Amino acid sequence: MSATQTSETKYFDLHTTGIGYLNRLREVTPRKGKPFMAVTVAALKGSADAVEYVYVDCNVVGKEAEKQIRRCQQAVDAEMKVLIGFRIGDIWPDIFTYEKGPKQGQTGVSLKGRLLYIGWIKINGEMVYQAKAVTAMPEQEQEVA
């Protein structure tokens, strides 16, 4: 009997879930590579009576998430309030230098991530999308420590 080795790549996922407003929906066409959808999520945090926002620039990577984002384009362009329940993966800081304006030459930081999933969407307070409930977790996530 011969033993065969499989080189299975393992990953550690960093997922952030929350609610936030959609801003700056856009199609990005890089010099190299395929075009992709991008969006800024103004994630809510803190006390409900003193909400703070954390802005995360995201590449939209989930197929269903992209479909739902595209459905929201007109509402965002019309400056309606588009609130979503989201899952963003692998948030990282992107350091840059301001090139113009009053902060020219200063260092800034932007949060980046990958928009993986949208659980629900409300436009001007009205529920317009609700993802189907997941009845079972994938096999690898069922383990209990």
Side-chain angles (χ1 to χ4, degrees), residues 1 4 9 16 26 36 42-43 77 86 96 107-108 111 120 122 128 132 140:
M1 228 169 27
T4 58
T9 304
T16 302
R26 61 218 180 267
F36 59 91
D77 290 346
F86 64 81
F96 64 93
T107 301
L111 290 178
W120 52 266
K122 289 184 180 182
V128 297
K132 294 179 183 174
Q140 65 197 85

Side-chain angles (χ1 to χ4, degrees), residues 7-144:
S7 59
E8 183 180 319
T9 304
K10 299 198 184 247
Y11 295 94
F12 296 100
D13 295 325
L14 172 62
H15 290 172
T16 302
T17 59
I19 64 171
Y21 291 100
L22 292 182
N23 295 291
R24 296 185 58 228
L25 273 69
R26 61 218 180 267
E27 183 87 22
V28 177
T29 306
R31 284 183 233 151
K32 295 181 181 181
K34 293 178 13 181
F36 59 91
M37 285 295 299
V39 64
T40 299
V41 176
L44 283 70
K45 72 172 201 137
S47 171
D49 55 350
V51 174
E52 295 177 51
Y53 297 93
V54 174
Y55 296 90
V56 184
D57 289 323
C58 299
N59 296 350
V60 182
V61 297
K63 286 182 183 181
E64 186 64 23
E66 182 176 344
K67 177 181 170 185
Q68 296 308 322
I69 289 291
R70 289 186 186 282
R71 288 183 56 210
C72 295
Q73 183 76 58
Q74 288 182 320
V76 171
D77 290 346
E79 298 185 5
M80 297 175 153
K81 292 186 177 191
V82 181
L83 186 67
I84 65 169
F86 64 81
R87 182 179 314 128
I88 296 174
D90 305 323
I91 289 180
W92 76 92
D94 183 36
I95 299 171
F96 64 93
T97 302
Y98 288 96
E99 294 184 10
K100 55 186 171 184
K103 295 183 179 182
Q104 184 175 0
Q106 294 180 23
T107 301
V109 178
S110 175
L111 290 178
K112 305 280 186 173
R114 299 178 311 124
L115 182 61
L116 305 171
Y117 174 79
I118 296 175
W120 52 266
I121 301 171
K122 289 184 180 182
I123 298 177
N124 287 341
E126 180 184 337
M127 185 71 72
V128 297
Y129 171 75
Q130 179 78 46
K132 294 179 183 174
V134 178
T135 56
M137 292 174 62
E139 187 176 307
Q140 65 197 85
E141 294 181 13
Q142 290 179 356
E143 287 184 29
V144 178

